[in-house]
Amino acid sequence: MSYGQGGPQSQWDPWKPNSQQPWNSGGDDGTPDWAALAEASETRNKRRKLLFIAGGALATVAIGTAVAMAVVSANSGNDAHGTPTNLPASASVPSGSATPSFAPTSAPPPLDPRDFIASAKKDTAPLSADTLFPGTQLTMGSTVYKKGATADTTNCASAASGDLPKILSANGCTRLIRATYSTGGTAITVGVALFDDQAQATKVRKLAAKKAMVRSLPGKGVKNFCDAAVCLTTTNAVGRYVYFTTGGFLNGKNVTKQDTKVFSVGNDLQQFTFNQIYRRGQAEASAAANR
């Protein structure tokens, strides 16, 4: 039996495996129908081209989607972390994303140490002869002073002489602390009188400028001094404190205006006492600021 004759005829489908190709049924020599084959090949090529175009479109959409997602993700990251810092040269930050501004603030002024030593209500830190005059010696510049005896009393008049007992009692002296220092044949006693407020201390300083002195304090290696001879006395004040000095020679010699050594000793001890009182105010101010 020749191809194309006899038996059931099947329709050829170029995309169906094992389907029978169409041969010319009119010829007896079995020659293929080349025109039909060419037409079928062209049909297959067109269908493949359409599929490739469709596949390319899908790929383009997929790539476009990926780029869009990347852009959205990048923008989201910038929004979450504030203004972007690595912008292209041609880009600009939108006005809405400018750095926020805040109202100016200022730290409170530091507390003034003088406010604390001006009133007994604020000046509440522990105080004694040892805290006011610490250690066993004092160095001022190149001079070393050996500390002698100390004393602390609430009977202010008992530690004063001249007009000072009366002045202290009349103006509310609550305490008088003394310490003696000596160097090179001279000795000086420093007395610190306490009052409730600065106004009282200022008044006492003015009243005690003449004919008033704190008693010298011998002891601990320092013999009596300034109990009969002429000595140097000074009076000053800071805050609610009035501080006095009485100094002279250990051999009983009178102090004159030419005895610059005694004046130097008096200046050193006045400066040291002022520093100690002021440091007290600084410590109290610092403690109050940290509360």
Side-chain angles (χ1 to χ4, degrees), residues 22-223:
W23 302 105
N24 187 357
S25 57
D28 295 332
D29 56 358
T31 302
D33 188 347
W34 298 112
L37 289 177
E39 183 180 355
S41 177
E42 185 179 354
T43 301
R44 288 197 303 270
N45 289 337
K46 287 182 179 180
R47 293 186 65 179
R48 287 177 183 175
K49 187 175 181 180
L50 289 175
L51 287 175
F52 282 130
I53 293 174
L58 290 174
T60 302
V61 171
I63 293 172
T65 303
V67 172
M69 291 176 65
V71 172
V72 171
S73 176
N75 289 338
S76 299
N78 287 336
D79 291 341
H81 296 89
T83 303
T85 56
N86 296 321
L87 292 174
S90 60
S92 61
V93 180
S95 59
S97 61
T99 303
S101 60
F102 300 93
T105 59
S106 59
L111 300 177
D112 191 342
R114 292 172 296 183
D115 291 341
F116 289 85
I117 58 175
S119 169
K121 292 181 179 179
K122 284 189 174 183
D123 186 20
T124 58
L127 179 65
S128 67
D130 288 335
T131 60
L132 193 57
F133 304 106
T136 59
Q137 66 180 35
L138 166 65
T139 301
M140 296 291 289
S142 60
T143 305
V144 178
Y145 299 93
K146 181 181 178 181
K147 190 173 81 172
T150 61
D152 187 352
T153 180
T154 56
N155 184 4
C156 299
S158 66
S161 62
D163 294 339
L164 190 56
K166 180 180 177 181
I167 294 171
L168 295 177
S169 298
N171 290 279
C173 178
T174 60
R175 191 174 177 185
L176 203 156
I177 302 173
R178 290 180 293 166
T180 295
Y181 291 88
S182 64
T183 183
T186 62
I188 189 166
T189 294
V190 181
V192 179
L194 280 72
F195 299 85
D196 286 339
D197 57 47
Q198 183 171 317
Q200 290 174 308
T202 301
K203 181 180 179 182
V204 168
R205 180 185 63 79
K206 293 177 180 179
L207 293 174
K210 295 181 179 181
K211 297 182 180 180
M213 60 184 292
V214 70
R215 289 184 181 274
S216 60
L217 180 66
K220 287 193 175 183
V222 179
K223 62 181 182 179

